Structures are given as C-alpha cells and as structure tokens.
Amino acid sequence: MRGVSMVKAMIIVLLCVSFLWVVPEECAGKADFSRNSSSSSASHPLLKRPSSVNVGALFTYDSFIGRAAKPAFKAAMDDVNADQIVLKGTKLNIVFQDSNCSGFIGTMGALQLMETQVVAAIGPQSSTIAHMISYVANELHVPLLSFAATDPTLSSLQYPYFLRTTQNDHFQMQAVADFVSYSGWRQVIAIFVDDECGRNGVLVLGDALAKKRARISHKAAITPGADATSIKDLLVSVNLMASRVYVVHVNPDSGLNVFSVAKSLGMMGSGYVWIGTDWLPTVLDSMGAVDTETMDVLQGVVAFRHYTAESDAKRRFMERWRNLRPKEGLNSYALYAYDSVWLIARALDVFFGDNNRVTFSNDPNLHKTKSSSLRLSALSVFNEGERFLEIILGMNRIGLTGPIRFDSERNRVNQAYEVLNIEGTGPRRVGYWSNHSGLSVVPPETLYSKPPNTSTANQRLYGIIWPGEVTKPPRGWVFPNNGKPLKIAVPNRVSYKDYVSKDKNPPGVRGYCIDVFEAAIELLPYPVPRNYILYGDGKKNPSYDNLINEVVADNFDVAVGDITIVTNRTRFVDFTQPFIESGLVVVAPVKEAKSSPWSFLKPFTIEMWAVTGAFFLFVGAIVWILEHRFNHEFRGPPRRQLITIFWFSFSTMFFSHRENTVSSLGRLVLIIWLFVVLIINSSYTASLTSILTVQQLTSRIEGIDSLITSNEPIGVQDGTFARNYLVNELNISPHRIVPLRDEEHYLSALQLGPKAGGVAAIVDELPYIEVLLTNSNCKYRTVGQEFTRTGWGFAFQRDSPLAVDMSTAILQLSEEGELEKIHRKWLNYKHECSMQIQNSETSQLSLKSFWGLFLICGVTCFIALTVFFWRVFWQYQRLLPDTGEEERASEVTEASRSGRGLRAPSFKELVKIVDKREAEIKEILKQKSSNKLKSSQSGAGSSHSQHSEIS
C-alpha cells in the first residue's frame, strides 16, 4: 500500500541510515531478477521459472528465540532445495539479518533485506520491530510472515501485508483469563515488560478478565533490560498489595530474573500464585537440561506453552535437532520458523504454477529521493506481491506445528496451549487450552470434531502443586501489608438506632448490623484490621446512595449498616449475602369495622353459596328418583312430591329429614351427601365464629395500588431508597413524597392525616415497620402485600474478594442459628401484634376449597342414576309382549318407510313403568313368567298326545 503516511512515519529513522548502512551479514544466494516488469516476455504460454528466489529472515541472533530459529531456517532451506518436487529447480535463498534486539537496527536490517529483492520476509521476533517494518512491507508489497511476534494489536487492517505464522497473544490471554476464572480468583497483578508486546498483551488480558468478572488490580511495568535492583523495587511494591496472583508477561531473555528476585524476597512460598506466559516454557525448552537452582526457583509456577500436536514429522525433526544442537533444547519458535520457510516454498510453487513471474519496479515515491544520500531508490516494489500474499493466505498444509491455515483475521486456526505446572525437576502438563473447548485434559485435536463447548461446567485440569508444595488452590489475596486497616463506613442514623448507631465505647458503633458484621469477621480464617467511620452529620439520616458512591470513589473500603440491596447499587459495588430479609410495605391508620346485619353470609363466596344450593336441589331430585318406586313417602300427587323434594333437600342441612330411604342406591347417595353437608356445616360454623368474634379492622388505603391512584401525601424515611423507588418505578409525583426523620415524625404524620398536614400512609421497609408498629401499640397496620422483595447486605468495593468470604461467613451464621440469636438480642419486640389487616374477602371460603367434595358427590349420583335406569330398561324389555322376529322386522321396515319412530308409543309405556311401584313390576314379571311356563307345559302335553295317536 503506497502513501505519504509511511514516509512520514519512517522519515526520522531513515535520516540515520547513511551512518549505519551495511551489507547483509549472511546471504545463502543471490537472485537475478529484472527491475522492469516489461523486460520479460509475457507472450509465452508457460513462463520459465527463475533459477533462484530470495526470502529474508530478520531476528536477533543472540537470544533464546534466535538461537533456535537460525538452525531451523537453514534446515528448512536445505530440505526445500533438496526436494526437487517443491520448487522444481528453483533455488530458495534465505537472506539473514540480525536485528540485535534494537528497533532502530531492526528497521535498518529490514531495509537492507528489501534491497535484495526478497519475495517475502520472515520475522521479526520482536513485536516492536514488527510494528515499524510492517510499514515497509506495505509500501513495497512484500509479505511479512512473523514466526515470533505475538502482539495482538498487529492487525491485518492496519498492516495488510503482515501475517502471523505463530500464535496470537489474544488467545493466550484468553487462556490465562479462563485459568484465573477456573481457580476462582477475582484480581491479578500483571508484571510485564514495558514494550508493545507487553503493554498490548496486558490490555487484552484486562478485557478477557472483565468478561469473567475479574480484573487487573495493578499493572507493574518493567523497563526492557532492567537490572535486579529495579525488579526488586517493583516486586516489593506489589507485595504490599492485596492480590497474590501474579501474571508475568516478559521477554524470555530476562524473565528468569523476576523469579530469582521474587525468591529472594520470600514471594515464592505458600499463598502466592505465579502464572507465566509462553516465554517461560520457551526458556526452559531452550536450556535443554535445566539446572537445579533454576528449577528450585520456579517450583509451583503455572505456565502456558504453545501446543503443537505430536506427529511423525515432528519426532523426526526432534531427532535431527539433537544432532544439530546437542547442547540446546528445541522450543516451539524453532518449529514455527521451520514451517514458515516451507509455507513460503509451497506458496511459491503454486505461484509459479499459475504462470506468475517475479518482477520488481521502482517506487515513484522513493524515486523522488534519488538525489538523497540515503539511497532509498534502491528499494523496489514487488509487483506480484499482492497475488503472492493471496496464495499464502489460501494455503492449507500440515507442518511440524500442525495444520497451517489462516482465518479471516489472518490468525492461525485452532490455536491451543499446554498448561504446565513446574514441579520437581521439570514442567508437568496438567491440561490444555484451546479456543474451541477452553480448559481440558484431553488433546485439543480430539475435540475439534465436536461442537465448541467453552462452558464453565466443561472446564477441567489435573491437580496443581502450588508454591510451597500446596495442593489446595491459594485464596489469591491477603490484606495488604501497607499498614492500612479496612475503612468501614457506618451510617450515623437518628432513627431506628437498634439497627446501627453511634456508641461512646470502642469500636464507636453499635447495633444489630454491627454485631452481624463482627460475628462474620470472627469466622474468617485471617485477621482483618478495621476502623469504623461514621457517615453523616447526626442530625438526619444520611443518603444511602451517597454512601455507596463514597465506597465506589475509594473513600471507604466497605459500607456496613442497614443497606438495602437494590439493582442500581449492585452495578457499582459488590454486596454480601443478605443477612436479613426486607421489602417495602404500606402502613396506614386503621379503625374497627362496623358489624353488618348480613355477616352470616360472609363465610362463603357467592359462587360457593350458589353451588351449594344447587347441589341441595340436585341431590334431593336424585334421591326422589331413586326412592320413588320403592318408598311410599316419595309418592303421591305431583304437588306433594315437589314439596317432598324441596323439604328433603334442605332438611339434610340439619340432618333432620324425616323420610327414610329404602333403596340401596338412595342410601348410597344420601351417605355421601351427608358427609359433604357435615364438612360444609363445620367450615361455615368455624368461619362465621371467626368473623363475629375476631376484631375486624379496616382502612381507607387498601394497598400500594390504591395509594398510587390517590393524590394524598405519602411519608417515607429520610435517606432510604423508598423515595426513588416511588418516583422512578411507580411514577408517583415527587410533590406527594414527605420525608420523615424518625419514629415520632412517623406517628405524628399518621395521626394528623392528609387533611391536617400529615400523610395518608407511610411506605418503608419491613424491618423498620416491625419496630414502628410495636412502639405504636399496634394502632397502625400494614395494608396490602409487600410489593418488593430484597434484603440488607454489606457493600464492598467492586470485585473485592472479602465480599465472597463474608457471604460464606453470613451463611454459616445463619445455619448455626447465630443470626437468630443476634436478632433476638436487638429486636425482641415487647408488644406482638398482627402486622397486616385481615381482609374479610380473603378469609371467605371459596369453591376451590370444596370442589373435590362436590365432585365425589356428583360422580356418586351419576353412577347411581346409571344403575337405576339400566335396571328400569331391563325390566321394560322383559315386559314387552312376545312377537316373532319376522313381525318385528316388518314393523321396523314399515316404520322407516313411513318416517315415524318405532319407539314413540313405547316411551309412554317406559314412563309408566318408571312410575309404577317396584312391587307391582315384580308381580307383573312373576305372572308373565308363570303364564309362559303354563303355555310351554300345555304345548308339550298336546305334542305328546299327538305322538301317541300317530303311534
């Protein structure tokens, strides 16, 4: 990409080129390319491949990464050139340049590499140099493949010709954040080298921790190349802070000094947590056999190493490495360097196979500087650089480090790390991390075929031995050793002082909330130095929202008192587990309800009365049907029978019915019904007794809804959240809100009423109202239901680890009954009274309490009627005159043709049968059976006489 911005960015550096201009230190070969793109013939359908091609390599020779990368580069170049299938006769030359750990020297080296007409550059290892020379790569269209620059801000948007063949620190910091969250820590201290890689890596770590509800409590920057004294001063300062979780993100060449100094300060013992990024495994892997002293310093450290899957090619290269560098180990950056060379070689093969050629041309922007002694005109633009970059990004190969494939942001896909625990004589792998599945104990490649799953429940690691040979995860924080006790803000209340108030004796405060806090502190496994500081002028209750803001502003460490946990406060502070339940209620004046002459109707609802009356008539009719054929008391003229049904129905209410039931079905229905009546009578008697004997209170205000619709003033406690809730949530006009100072103002305002300058009702939290009603001898009551549900807690600064421990302690107090003991000590009310007005409507017995009884009774009646009518129909069939089958069939046919019903004349007969006495029916059936028997006997006798005559 051409532009003046690049020239402006580099002009200061380029002014010094003339003083340090040197030829490349090493060059494995030279290339002979035309500077003019038009000099090559483009008419030939298949262009001849060049004899050689140059690739640059820029890194620091004398470094852990450089000492491993250089032999890897040479081995890869030899392997590519030995394989005639790859470049098919074209020789790959690597031009080496030492950046010497200097941004300026590295930039000069990059310019010298570009002068040799390289088609791609590998490096640098330093993210600082990578930022600078990426502008050069953009201007000259030369792809820049970094095998070691892990800075996450090296973006493809800003540097389109930059791509990373190693892993991105963006994912490594996610791995560290997942590990911190997995271990349950909320704060870490970041120790980092003060350069682009260190600063930007820590910024990404902060973002990743924020997603896990954790944070970096302090950032400790180390100057590049800092001596032991500077490191010691820095570690002494961070050791005075609360967090004991340290994330060390420094350079491999000086990182071990941090742990050596920490060891001398006693910071590698029990209670400390040290997390090293990939630089630490790079050092250990490069050292081969690590000395005992170094391992002793690193005991218990957790580190993250680039994960490269095991393969035959990797094992063969490791065997080869032992011959190349018998005294040095193999780190992951050597593998990335080797794969980078092969990636370029494979891309060149595709490039040449697509009939492309390598040409360079002068940059017009640089040609204008030809008269300058800087000789910038010697730099050429790779004309086919954009096409070559596209081929590299589209590659999909398998290397020593695994699959080489790039995503849309030009990062390698499926980035993963090994989680190492340094113990004994070396590192031990305790698990893996990948952007596909998070923390796991199985290799990442075995999970790629499954759907991504980074849920908390899916995270797992093997056991870790922490510093001090501790197997239990450290708490991760202590009280800072800076001599500062915990600053505790306590509201200086003027009302309801049993909850919290000023005290003349140490510690200067007293009350229910203070005793709960002190009891929880005593359960903590560590001492907590603390000072209580009163907040407020003592003339009125302080604003609790302002108190929370003071904690947020770091003027106090914690607020202790009757502090309500509400949503807008939880956005800024961390509350403990609630130690008492609370909620807003309405208190209003009450008066005794006048007795009503219709009180006897109140026990039941209208629906209950209607269903009960209907069932009395229904059961009476059912019993009449069942008894009519058997019992003479249920027979007679229609008027008498109708009176009998009504009398029998309602007389069962008092069990005074004089009619006896004769039939079995009638007795069954009556037994069930009398049971139902018994239950209904008992319930009615109990409810009516309660209504007539218990004092009934009433109030003009029925609850919060009626209070909202009225325009009368509402009293609230000064300083609490009740006012904001009524105004912001319930849209009540602020002019209606009357702040009240203490209990005397409460009682006075309620007694005066809205017409005399008082209030119609008071809205306040339940714990306060319990005290108020007790002190008022129960002259006032709560009306309606509690319309918010919340509690009181202690407010700590955001992400304070003490909040978690205090919540655990409060739960323990609750389970052991200590909270109840403290409650009885401070809030043992002398006058117990009913809190809420008993609404007569809510005390009425409704149908839903008795529908089961009615259902049983209804089902019994249905069954009895079914059996009864089945018996009647059976008798009716037997009483029908006997006719032949053919005659009955002809009647049916004739009836169907004429359109008249066959059963029309029979229904009257059926009604007559139902109306007859059972005894008469049995007598008729008996006579019919006798006649049938005589008829059959006479028929048999005549048949016998005829047979005798024939014989």
Side-chain angles (χ1 to χ4, degrees):
M1 185 183 299
R2 301 184 181 183
V4 182
S5 59
M6 183 279 297
V7 179
K8 290 182 178 179
M10 299 296 300
I11 190 168
I12 299 177
V13 176
L14 295 177
L15 289 175
C16 303
V17 174
S18 59
F19 298 99
L20 293 170
W21 195 269
V22 292
V23 297
E25 292 187 7
E26 294 188 43
C27 181
K30 297 182 179 180
D32 186 13
F33 300 126
S34 173
R35 286 184 173 271
N36 194 344
S37 60
S38 62
S39 62
S40 298
S41 175
S43 60
H44 199 280
L46 183 60
L47 297 177
K48 184 180 179 180
R49 297 193 179 202
S51 60
S52 62
V53 63
N54 285 347
V55 175
L58 179 67
F59 55 94
T60 300
Y61 291 171
D62 188 18
S63 64
F64 279 108
I65 295 177
R67 286 190 292 269
K70 190 171 184 179
F73 281 134
K74 290 185 176 181
M77 182 181 64
D78 293 340
D79 292 345
V80 169
N81 290 329
D83 191 344
Q84 296 299 320
I85 301 176
V86 181
L87 291 180
K88 299 177 177 61
T90 300
K91 184 179 180 181
L92 180 69
N93 300 319
I94 298 182
V95 182
F96 293 96
Q97 187 67 48
D98 186 5
S99 61
N100 200 25
C101 291
S102 169
F104 180 77
I105 299 299
T107 304
M108 297 305 100
L111 294 174
Q112 290 177 313
L113 284 179
M114 298 304 177
E115 191 182 19
T116 63
Q117 297 182 350
V118 294
V119 297
I122 305 175
Q125 71 189 62
S126 168
S127 297
T128 302
I129 301 175
H131 278 277
M132 300 177 68
I133 68 173
S134 291
Y135 290 107
V136 179
N138 291 352
E139 183 68 20
L140 302 180
H141 296 186
V142 176
L144 181 62
L145 286 72
S146 179
F147 70 100
T150 58
D151 180 3
T153 63
L154 285 166
S155 167
S156 60
L157 296 176
Q158 185 179 8
Y159 309 118
Y161 280 85
F162 176 86
L163 67 156
R164 205 186 323 256
T165 57
T166 184
Q167 303 198 29
N168 191 335
D169 272 350
H170 173 81
F171 299 99
Q172 180 172 213
M173 296 309 166
Q174 285 187 7
V176 174
D178 283 350
F179 178 75
V180 170
S181 176
Y182 173 81
S183 303
W185 302 313
R186 302 288 295 276
Q187 296 182 11
V188 302
I189 292 178
I191 301 174
F192 61 99
V193 63
D194 194 11
D195 61 9
E196 278 79 359
C197 183
R199 288 191 299 269
N200 296 330
V202 168
L203 285 175
V204 174
L205 175 61
D207 294 339
L209 288 172
K211 295 178 181 178
K212 305 292 182 181
R213 292 208 63 187
R215 66 185 180 95
I216 299 176
S217 60
H218 181 71
K219 298 177 181 179
I222 299 176
T223 304
D227 56 13
T229 303
S230 301
I231 295 175
K232 181 178 180 180
D233 293 341
L234 183 141
L235 293 182
V236 168
S237 64
V238 299
N239 196 35
L240 296 176
M241 300 176 183
S243 179
R244 284 292 182 263
V245 182
Y246 304 110
V247 178
V248 184
H249 186 54
V250 294
N251 293 327
D253 299 281
S254 59
L256 289 179
N257 294 337
V258 175
F259 290 102
S260 298
V261 175
K263 179 74 172 179
S264 66
L265 295 175
M267 297 175 64
M268 298 298 296
S270 177
Y272 289 86
V273 177
W274 292 88
I275 303 172
T277 53
D278 63 278
W279 69 267
L280 182 54
T282 298
V283 172
L284 298 180
D285 293 340
S286 302
M287 295 174 67
V290 185
D291 59 277
T292 306
E293 183 179 354
T294 301
M295 292 308 304
D296 183 59
V297 170
L298 298 174
Q299 291 296 303
V301 175
V302 175
F304 289 82
R305 178 167 62 191
H306 297 144
Y307 174 72
T308 55
E310 296 297 326
S311 63
D312 293 336
K314 179 181 174 181
R315 282 188 285 269
R316 286 194 300 268
F317 185 80
M318 294 178 69
E319 289 293 335
R320 182 180 175 188
W321 184 267
R322 295 187 182 96
N323 297 326
L324 292 173
R325 298 285 177 173
K327 295 183 179 180
E328 296 182 7
L330 176 67
N331 62 49
S332 60
Y333 289 105
L335 301 178
Y336 289 118
Y338 184 89
D339 279 353
S340 299
V341 176
W342 269 98
L343 177 63
I344 293 175
R346 296 289 186 185
L348 282 172
D349 184 44
V350 176
F351 178 81
F352 292 135
D354 290 344
N355 216 21
N356 294 305
R357 57 182 177 178
V358 177
T359 61
F360 293 87
S361 62
N362 294 324
D363 188 340
N365 294 326
L366 299 179
H367 189 67
K368 297 176 182 179
T369 63
K370 202 167 186 179
S371 59
S372 173
S373 59
L374 298 178
R375 295 189 299 161
L376 295 179
S377 59
L379 301 176
S380 303
V381 176
F382 180 20
N383 296 324
E384 292 77 18
E386 184 175 356
R387 172 59 184 154
F388 187 47
L389 177 65
E390 292 176 357
I391 294 174
I392 294 175
L393 292 174
M395 297 298 292
N396 185 4
R397 310 292 299 182
I398 301 295
L400 300 181
T401 57
I404 303 176
R405 192 169 69 254
F406 299 95
D407 59 18
S408 59
E409 297 181 358
R410 302 185 182 181
N411 292 314
R412 289 187 61 167
V413 298
N414 297 332
Q415 302 203 29
Y417 292 85
E418 293 179 86
V419 185
L420 306 177
N421 180 209
I422 301 175
E423 54 155 327
T425 58
R428 174 178 62 93
R429 184 169 57 207
V430 295
Y432 306 87
W433 181 93
S434 71
N435 58 346
H436 182 83
S437 58
L439 297 171
S440 174
V441 294
V442 298
E445 63 269 15
T446 62
L447 301 174
Y448 291 148
S449 60
K450 302 177 181 179
N453 186 359
T454 58
S455 62
T456 304
N458 196 49
Q459 309 300 292
R460 186 188 169 197
L461 292 174
Y462 291 121
I464 296 175
I465 299 179
W466 305 95
E469 298 184 355
V470 178
T471 57
K472 182 181 179 181
R475 189 170 66 248
W477 70 278
V478 295
F479 270 91
N481 299 324
N482 52 15
K484 295 181 180 179
L486 201 68
K487 294 183 295 182
I488 305 174
V490 178
N492 190 8
R493 295 191 58 86
V494 298
S495 62
Y496 301 109
K497 294 187 176 182
D498 286 341
Y499 289 110
V500 61
S501 63
K502 181 180 179 180
D503 190 22
K504 297 180 180 179
N505 301 320
V509 288
R510 62 192 293 272
Y512 168 74
C513 300
I514 302 300
D515 280 8
V516 172
F517 184 80
E518 287 291 329
I521 286 288
E522 294 299 322
L523 294 178
L524 300 181
Y526 46 85
V528 181
R530 54 198 179 275
N531 284 337
Y532 291 98
I533 304 172
L534 289 170
Y535 180 79
D537 56 9
K539 298 179 181 179
K540 66 176 183 178
N541 293 332
S543 170
Y544 281 63
D545 287 337
N546 292 340
L547 175 59
I548 295 297
N549 292 334
E550 292 292 325
V551 176
V552 175
D554 200 22
N555 295 326
F556 298 104
D557 297 312
V558 57
V560 172
D562 48 340
I563 304 171
T564 307
I565 303 173
V566 293
T567 304
N568 63 331
R569 293 174 182 172
T570 58
R571 297 190 182 103
F572 308 105
V573 295
D574 283 349
F575 280 95
T576 61
Q577 177 79 14
F579 56 86
I580 188 173
E581 291 184 356
S582 182
L584 291 178
V585 294
V586 178
V587 178
V590 294
K591 59 182 179 179
E592 187 174 354
K594 296 180 179 179
S595 180
S596 170
W598 303 101
S599 296
F600 68 93
L601 295 176
K602 290 183 178 180
F604 289 164
T605 61
I606 297 176
E607 293 82 2
M608 183 64 184
W609 278 117
V611 172
T612 303
F615 256 84
F616 271 109
L617 296 176
F618 174 70
V619 172
I622 295 299
V623 172
W624 176 83
I625 293 173
L626 298 177
E627 291 290 321
H628 181 68
R629 300 180 66 197
F630 298 90
N631 196 338
H632 70 278
E633 295 181 351
F634 289 86
R635 300 185 65 85
R639 182 172 177 273
R640 177 185 174 188
Q641 294 184 49
L642 187 61
I643 294 174
T644 300
I645 291 175
F646 278 92
W647 166 255
F648 180 83
S649 298
F650 292 101
S651 63
T652 56
M653 180 187 303
F654 311 102
F655 305 97
S656 61
H657 51 284
R658 64 186 181 184
E659 294 82 6
N660 294 321
T661 53
V662 177
S663 67
S664 300
L665 294 176
R667 290 175 177 177
L668 173 64
V669 171
L670 185 60
I671 290 174
I672 299 299
W673 174 243
L674 291 178
F675 174 73
V676 173
V677 171
L678 175 64
I679 299 299
I680 292 176
N681 280 345
S682 301
S683 303
Y684 176 85
T685 303
S687 180
L688 182 61
T689 302
S690 175
I691 292 173
L692 296 178
T693 57
V694 176
Q695 184 185 23
Q696 300 294 314
L697 302 176
T698 184
S699 173
R700 292 187 306 107
I701 305 298
E702 298 178 354
I704 187 63
D705 293 331
S706 62
L707 196 60
I708 293 174
T709 55
S710 69
N711 291 318
E712 296 176 326
I714 305 171
V716 298
Q717 185 180 171
D718 193 16
T720 63
F721 84 103
R723 182 186 184 280
N724 292 336
Y725 184 85
L726 294 178
V727 173
N728 299 330
E729 300 296 332
L730 302 182
N731 297 320
I732 295 177
S733 173
H735 302 291
R736 295 178 56 193
I737 308 300
V738 179
L740 302 174
R741 182 173 179 271
D742 51 25
E743 295 98 322
E744 293 181 1
H745 285 77
Y746 272 44
L747 300 177
S748 175
L750 287 173
Q751 186 174 3
L752 290 174
K755 295 181 179 180
V759 297
I762 289 176
V763 175
D764 206 349
E765 295 182 72
L766 187 60
Y768 303 128
I769 298 305
E770 290 177 345
V771 177
L772 175 69
L773 297 185
T774 302
N775 295 337
S776 66
N777 294 324
C778 304
K779 293 181 180 179
Y780 308 98
R781 301 292 176 90
T782 61
V783 292
Q785 299 296 321
E786 185 178 354
F787 56 93
T788 65
R789 293 282 183 178
T790 181
W792 292 353
F794 306 127
F796 286 83
Q797 290 184 1
R798 192 72 171 172
D799 299 322
S800 171
L802 186 58
V804 178
D805 290 353
M806 286 293 290
S807 293
T808 305
I810 290 172
L811 286 175
Q812 185 177 345
L813 289 174
S814 178
E815 293 171 356
E816 295 176 354
E818 293 299 322
L819 280 182
E820 183 61 27
K821 292 180 181 178
I822 299 173
H823 190 277
R824 288 198 299 267
K825 172 185 174 183
W826 289 98
L827 309 172
N828 189 14
Y829 308 120
K830 299 178 181 179
H831 303 284
E832 293 290 344
C833 60
S834 175
M835 286 286 296
Q836 193 169 4
I837 295 178
Q838 183 68 27
N839 193 338
S840 60
E841 293 184 359
T842 59
S843 62
Q844 286 182 314
L845 299 175
S846 63
L847 181 61
K848 67 180 181 180
S849 301
F850 298 93
W851 71 267
L853 286 174
F854 290 124
L855 178 64
I856 293 173
C857 184
V859 170
T860 304
C861 292
F862 176 76
I863 294 174
L865 280 177
T866 302
V867 174
F868 173 80
F869 283 112
W870 177 83
R871 178 179 175 81
V872 169
F873 185 75
W874 175 77
Q875 292 176 347
Y876 171 71
Q877 291 291 334
R878 292 190 60 188
L879 290 174
L880 287 176
D882 295 332
T883 58
E885 294 292 338
E886 295 182 359
E887 182 180 352
R888 293 183 61 83
S890 63
E891 289 179 2
V892 171
T893 305
E894 183 179 354
S896 61
R897 289 178 180 176
S898 61
R900 60 184 176 83
L902 177 65
R903 305 299 297 174
S906 301
F907 181 73
K908 294 180 179 180
E909 297 175 3
L910 180 61
V911 173
K912 290 180 180 180
I913 293 174
V914 172
D915 190 53
K916 286 182 179 293
R917 292 176 177 270
E918 182 70 16
E920 295 178 5
I921 297 297
K922 288 182 179 180
E923 184 65 26
I924 294 172
L925 290 176
K926 183 177 179 181
Q927 292 179 1
K928 186 175 181 180
S929 298
S930 176
N931 295 336
K932 189 175 181 180
L933 179 61
K934 291 179 180 179
S935 176
S936 62
Q937 288 177 355
S938 62
S942 62
S943 175
H944 179 71
S945 62
Q946 291 177 2
H947 180 70
S948 300
E949 293 176 358
I950 293 172
S951 60

